[in-house]
Each structure stands twice: as C-alpha cells, then as structure tokens.
Amino acid sequence: MNRHPSSASRLSLRAREALHGYGFALPWLVGFALFTLLPLVETLRYSLHRVTVTVTGIRLDFVEWANYTRALFTDPAFVELLIGYAVETLIAVPIVLIFSMIIALFLNVNFKLKGVFRTIFFLPVVITSGPVIRELAEQGATSAPGIANVPAVADFLAQLPSALRNPLEYVLTSFILILWFSGVQILIYLASLQKIDRSIYEAAAIDGASAWETYWKITLPSLATATLVNAVYTIITLSHFSENRVIKYIYNQTYAVQGGIGYASAMAFVYFAAMAALLVIVYLFLMLWARRGSR
Amino acid sequence: MTDARTIRLDSRRWLHLVDRARAFLFGSRSRRGIVLSLTLYALLIAIGFVYLYPLLFMFVTSIKSPSDLLNPMVQWVPNEIYIGNYVKAFRVLNYPASLANSIFASVAPSLLQTATASLIGYGLARYRFPGRRIIMLLILATFIIPPQNTVIPQMLTYRNLGLLGNPLALILPASLGQGLKSAIFILIFYQTFLSLPKVLEEAARLDGASDLRIFLSIAMPSALPAYIIAFIFSVVWYWNETFLMVVFLEGGVQTLPLQLSKFAQAYENLYPPGTVNIFDRLNEAVKMSGTFLNILPLLVLYFVLQKWFVESIERTGIAGE
C-alpha cells in the first residue's frame, strides 16, 4: 500500500490548491451570482412582461415579444438613436485609436517638458463625468473651434439623411470630447511601446531602414494587441457613458408612463446586442488587419 | 597659388559648416535636429491646446463678471477677476456637504473593490483549479454587460430592503467584485501577481504559513503599486459615475456631480428669478464656476499624484499580453 505514498499526497496537494483557489475566488462567485447573473435573468424576464410597480410589490403581465417589437418597429426614436450610436461609435473608435497612438509615439520620444505633456494628456481621465461634460457641451466648449460653422460643411451636412447627419454633426461638435476619451488608451499604447525590444530597432537601423519603414514594419505590428485592447475598451467606455443618448433614452423610458420597466428592459437587451455586434465587427476587422500585417 | 589654397581651405571649412548646420537642423544618427524638435513641440503644443480648450474656456468664463459676459470685446482676457460666480456656485452646490458625500461615496466602495479585486486576482494568478478559465471569461463579460441590463432588478431589490438612498447600495456589489469596472482591477491584480516571483511565498509555505497569511504578509506588500493605482482609479471612476449614483442614491446622498446635474433648478430655488436683479440671474459664468468647483478636488488629487497615474500603470502592465 505504501509503495506510492507520493501519488496520494500529490493528489491531495492538488485538491488543496484547487480548494484555496476557490476560496480566493469565492467572493467574486457570490457577487457574480447575486449582482450580475440574477439581475440579468430578472431583466430578461421583465423584458417579456408588462411590469407594473405597486405599493406592495411588482406585477408582471406576460406580453411575449411585444416590448421588443415595439422597440424595433413602432418606437419612432429608438431605432434612429441606435443607428446613430452605431455610426458615432464606428467613427469615434478610429479617431481615438489614431490619436492615442500618435500621442503615445510622441510621449515615447525623449524631450524636455515630457512630464508636462504627459500630465496634460492624461488629465481628462480624471475629470470626464457626465454632468461636467454636459455643462461644457452646452457652452459649446467641446467642439473643435469652428469646424461645424464652415458653410461648405454645413451645406454638405444638410444634404445627408438624418440618421447619418446627426452622428456626423455629433463628431464635429464633440471632437474634443472624443479625444478626451483617449487617456487610458494612450497609457496602454505607451506601456506596449516600452515593451518593444530596443535591439530590433538597432538591427533595422544597421540594415539601413528609415524611420518610416521602421514604423510600419516594427512599431505598428508590435502594437496589434494593444490596438485590439484599446478598440474594445473604447467601444465599451463610449457605450457605457452616462451622456450616451441611447442610455439616456432607456433611462427616461424606465420611469415613463408609456414605457415602464418591461419596455426599458427590452431596449437594454437590444442595446446590449448592438454593442456586442459592434465589438465583434471591430474585433474581426482588427484581427484581419493584424494577420495581413504579420505576413 | 595662395589664392587657390585659401579658396580650397574656405570651401572645406564651408562644407564642414554645412554639415554641422545640417546636423543641427535635421539631426544626426545620435541626436535629433532642431527642425524635428521644433516640429514636435509645435505639434504637441497645438494638440495640447485643443485638448485643454474646454478647461481653459471653463476657467476664463468662470471668472467673468456679468458686464464682461455681455461685452463682445472680451474673449479670453476678462477686465477683472470676478469671484462672485464662485460664491454663488458654492452655495448652489451646497459645496461642503456635497464634497463630503462625494468623498465618502467614492472612497468607501473603492477601498472594498480594491481589496476584493486583489484577492480574486491573486487566486486566479497563483492557484490552478478547474473552472479558472471560465471564471476569467465571466469576469471579462461583466465588463461588457451594460449597467442598464442589471440595474433595475437591483434597484427593486434595494427598494424592498429599504437600502435605496443608502451608500450600502454601492458598497455591497463593490465588496463582492461587482463594482464599477471591477473586471479591470481584477485583471490588473492578476497581471501583477503573475509577474511577481514566487520564491518568497514558497519559502513561507515551507515554514508552515497558511495561504491567507502568505497573501496578507508577502504578496500584498510586494504589490503595493498595483494597490495604489487601482485605488486611485477606482475613486476617480466612482466619483464621476452618475448613472448608478442617480439610481441607487436618489433621495439620499447628494454627490457633487448629482448636484451639478440639477444646477439650474437648484439655482432658481436659491435665487428666484423674480426677486433678483438682472445681474444675479443664472448665467454661463456661474455654471462654469459650478463645473470648475466640481472637478477641483479631482484636479488637486491628480496634480498631487500624477507621477503615480502615469508611471505605475506602466509597471502594473494594464496592457496585458
């Protein structure tokens, strides 16, 4: 019996390790069940019902898919807001990615006053709250000075269908805001730039590569992972931002007489699906780009 | 003879000068030239200005007197520094109380969120157990799920428990790893603990220390930078969060951003439009003062800790692999 004492104790050691692992993860598992999974299922249930909040509790009347069909086919505002959101996000993501990459490349170079510029470019990370942004936007302080007022631009905008015009106008009038969403992304690019092995650049320089070639052949491919992380992060932050018009609409409908909790829940799921679709589209696009770049 | 010699000498010196000038302007192999440097600075200053434009605009507007506001000649340089706007905004925001509320409503959940996130990150980084990958995936999923999809049942539950308007409504999810952007903090700790050497922990284990003890006395202290950065970011994100605050704290605690979001209404309660003279009506200068007072605590925090913001995140490896 005692010929393999080690195998028995190794097994128990592994079980012990697993037990401790679960011990550390336990708070999260409990929290996930209580504060994420259960509410998510509840919201899904609400979305299939008409929900009436009474003094004693809530009353549910099963309405099948009525809330969803109403959101997608009868509500005049929701679909338009949703399309606007998708277009705005698809325009904002490349702006944020390119801007944060440029700033990170600048900040990765050694020069005097680097600290000052770093401080400036990370500042919005700290101060972007919904009400502050709303006040600034109302005063017109968030638009790139003057672009939307150029007559040619205004004429061009006037000819577009409203589903396209609104998001474009949004991009022009909140250009600085879009840049303000780049703080964390700049950090991620910087961290990833500093991980690139210096010796690759030296080897390329000895082979006579120009700065331009080095950028396209070495730097950019090395930033592929960071780009993916940044794209996902940008989409999620933009989608969760409390000044997002879809979110405001859903929130208002929660308390509206005509809407209610059931309808808002259905819209929340449609919104979630749209956001997931955007994530998949951008993710696939960047994967294709990275694969083509690595060839 | 002599003429040709001087000419040759001159041309050589001239060529040398040209070389040096070129190196000075366009740079050499070892250093950057002045043209490139100037371009770099010009670009950075231009972008920096566009970037800071809203803040500069806000600050300049906030110190404009009512007559400066009406004067079309005054754009960027007010005739006088007028602090009356700040006095009014200070009263409208009910500043001392709202500030205290904001600090409490962001620091309390952040402390608990950081503590739990580090426990979970440590468990995932240091132990192998079945289902670990699924948990990682679910953690990422919690980052993607919009708050709108979970907030209504939570709110109704809190209402039944009588917790609506109570900071506990924010503290409970945070202490169980479901706070604001918890997933990011768990990932930061996961990365940090993965990259820390295991040697010390193994030595302590041989000495018979328990797992929790090892975590508290060895892993935690060596991950201090990650704790600080996670806590600071958590505080800032909670401070700025209005959606959850509105839903969970409505009718209870009033934070600064909540006060700012109903600034106009609160102003009219304090200064009813019929009773004050035209100069005391709500104008954009007062609004901008309120906005500035709103971000002032964060600005102070940022400028005191800005080294931490930038440098430690590079070390904690938020970028992931």
Side-chain angles (χ1 to χ4, degrees):
Chain A
M1 263 323 264
N2 272 348
R3 270 176 67 194
H4 299 293
S6 62
S7 76
S9 70
R10 197 183 296 152
L11 196 77
S12 78
L13 211 78
R14 191 191 274 175
R16 238 183 61 123
E17 188 183 347
L19 216 62
H20 280 112
Y22 287 126
F24 278 104
L26 189 67
W28 187 85
L29 289 169
V30 173
F32 179 72
L34 280 181
F35 293 105
T36 303
L37 195 59
L38 212 67
L40 199 63
V41 175
E42 272 299 276
T43 311
L44 193 61
R45 206 159 68 96
Y46 291 161
S47 73
L48 300 172
H49 291 80
R50 192 170 68 236
V51 183
T52 340
V53 182
T54 60
V55 195
T56 50
I58 52 170
R59 220 185 73 209
L60 299 178
D61 297 301
F62 189 60
V63 292
E64 260 181 38
W65 300 99
N67 287 324
Y68 287 92
T69 48
R70 182 178 154 198
L72 288 172
F73 304 115
T74 9
D75 192 319
F78 184 64
V79 172
E80 192 166 313
L81 282 174
L82 210 58
I83 294 171
Y85 150 79
V87 177
E88 276 166 22
T89 309
L90 286 177
I91 297 174
V93 167
I95 297 178
V96 168
L97 288 183
I98 292 169
F99 177 77
S100 52
M101 195 187 284
I102 291 174
I103 296 299
L105 286 169
F106 279 162
L107 293 182
N108 198 37
V109 176
N110 271 319
F111 58 91
K112 280 176 195 156
L113 296 178
K114 190 165 149 180
V116 176
F117 284 107
R118 277 180 160 193
T119 311
I120 291 176
F121 288 114
F122 300 132
L123 186 57
V125 174
V126 182
I127 53 175
T128 36
S129 77
V132 168
I133 301 287
R134 194 189 312 145
E135 289 297 333
L136 289 174
E138 272 174 15
Q139 307 298 325
T142 52
S143 68
I147 293 186
N149 298 332
V150 175
V153 176
D155 282 351
F156 175 70
L157 283 176
Q159 286 169 5
L160 293 171
S162 69
L164 257 178
R165 191 194 330 137
N166 294 340
L168 272 178
E169 249 169 12
Y170 157 81
V171 168
L172 287 178
T173 50
S174 11
F175 189 71
I176 297 177
L177 261 191
I178 296 176
L179 298 189
W180 270 23
F181 277 101
S182 309
V184 171
Q185 289 85 327
I186 296 174
L187 279 178
I188 292 176
Y189 272 134
L190 253 182
S192 158
L193 278 174
Q194 281 165 1
K195 277 191 201 131
I196 305 177
D197 194 352
R198 292 275 119 209
S199 55
I200 303 177
Y201 286 106
E202 280 162 27
I206 290 168
D207 287 347
S210 68
W212 184 250
E213 285 166 330
T214 330
Y215 172 75
W216 289 102
K217 299 281 184 203
I218 300 175
T219 312
L220 198 59
S222 314
L223 293 179
T225 319
T227 304
L228 214 55
V229 172
N230 276 344
V232 170
Y233 184 84
T234 310
I235 294 177
I236 291 171
T237 348
L238 289 175
S239 308
H240 290 188
F241 188 50
S242 62
E243 284 300 289
N244 181 312
R245 275 177 286 186
V246 186
I247 285 185
K248 276 160 95 177
Y249 186 73
I250 295 176
Y251 178 74
N252 290 335
Q253 289 293 313
T254 312
Y255 297 99
V257 185
Q258 290 296 310
I261 287 173
Y263 185 46
S265 302
M267 285 195 294
F269 271 100
V270 175
Y271 181 57
F272 188 13
M275 188 187 118
L278 283 181
L279 278 174
V280 170
I281 291 171
V282 173
Y283 186 83
L284 287 179
F285 179 80
L286 285 173
M287 285 296 274
L288 274 177
W289 166 77
R291 190 168 305 158
R292 216 192 52 195
S294 69
R295 239 188 251 148
Chain B
M1 270 296 270
T2 50
D3 273 5
R5 221 206 218 132
T6 42
I7 287 169
R8 207 201 283 148
L9 247 182
D10 271 359
S11 72
R12 198 180 285 162
R13 189 183 292 153
W14 175 241
L15 275 177
H16 180 66
L17 265 176
V18 167
D19 265 0
R20 286 198 38 193
R22 185 188 287 154
F24 178 68
L25 286 173
F26 302 108
S28 59
R29 222 160 241 292
S30 51
R31 44 183 296 270
R32 204 171 34 247
I34 191 151
V35 170
L36 201 61
S37 288
L38 281 179
T39 320
L40 184 72
Y41 281 118
L43 272 172
L44 280 171
I45 289 169
I47 300 172
F49 173 74
V50 171
Y51 215 62
L52 289 184
Y53 176 79
L55 294 182
L56 297 172
F57 177 90
M58 172 179 71
F59 182 69
V60 170
T61 310
S62 75
I63 55 169
K64 278 184 182 171
S65 65
S67 60
D68 274 354
L69 274 179
L70 295 172
N71 185 348
M73 304 288 289
V74 177
Q75 271 292 337
W76 284 101
V77 188
N79 288 323
E80 53 171 334
I81 292 172
Y82 179 75
I83 56 162
N85 305 318
Y86 280 97
V87 176
K88 283 182 205 141
F90 192 89
R91 287 189 59 195
V92 173
L93 288 172
N94 192 10
Y95 201 67
S98 311
L99 181 66
N101 285 341
S102 259
I103 292 173
F104 181 73
S106 50
V107 167
S110 299
L111 274 175
L112 287 159
Q113 156 148 298
T114 309
T116 324
S118 72
L119 267 175
I120 299 159
Y122 184 76
L124 292 170
R126 279 295 192 254
Y127 298 94
R128 301 279 162 273
F129 55 91
R132 205 176 62 102
R133 300 223 134 248
I134 299 174
I135 293 181
M136 296 280 281
L137 273 178
L138 289 177
I139 288 174
L140 282 180
T142 59
F143 180 53
I144 297 173
I145 299 170
Q148 286 70 33
N149 289 63
T150 52
V151 86
I152 296 170
Q154 286 187 39
M155 184 195 69
L156 292 175
T157 312
Y158 286 140
R159 203 179 73 124
N160 288 341
L161 298 173
L163 284 179
L164 224 51
N166 186 322
L168 265 180
L170 291 165
I171 290 172
L172 281 176
S175 60
L176 290 174
Q178 312 296 313
L180 197 58
K181 305 196 187 190
S182 267
I184 293 188
F185 300 114
I186 296 175
L187 284 180
I188 289 179
F189 282 111
Y190 175 73
Q191 292 279 347
T192 310
F193 287 122
L194 263 192
S195 62
L196 287 181
K198 265 183 166 171
V199 189
L200 269 178
E201 290 162 60
E202 272 157 10
R205 186 157 291 136
L206 286 178
D207 287 345
S210 74
D211 290 59
L212 194 64
R213 177 76 195 278
I214 291 172
F215 172 73
L216 291 174
S217 56
I218 296 173
M220 252 180 93
S222 40
L224 195 64
Y227 276 92
I228 295 176
I229 198 71
F231 177 65
I232 296 171
F233 265 89
S234 189
V235 167
V236 167
W237 281 335
Y238 263 107
W239 183 292
N240 284 330
E241 172 63 37
T242 38
F243 178 74
L244 293 178
M245 298 278 178
V246 165
V247 174
F248 289 150
L249 298 186
E250 192 64 75
V253 180
Q254 290 296 329
T255 65
L256 274 179
L258 289 186
Q259 292 282 31
L260 182 66
S261 64
K262 46 188 176 204
F263 192 80
Q265 192 197 333
Y267 188 92
E268 296 199 342
N269 288 341
L270 261 180
Y271 303 93
T275 61
V276 293
N277 66 49
I278 192 158
F279 287 116
D280 281 336
R281 297 251 176 91
L282 181 56
N283 57 38
E284 59 259 44
V286 182
K287 278 188 183 170
M288 288 293 104
S289 304
T291 315
F292 189 75
L293 283 177
N294 219 279
I295 64 171
L296 186 64
L298 292 176
L299 286 180
V300 172
L301 178 84
Y302 180 67
F303 283 109
V304 173
L305 297 175
Q306 52 98 4
K307 247 189 140 61
W308 273 101
F309 266 94
V310 179
E311 274 167 23
S312 52
I313 206 158
E314 287 171 9
R315 271 183 264 140
T316 48
I318 197 180
E321 285 311 300

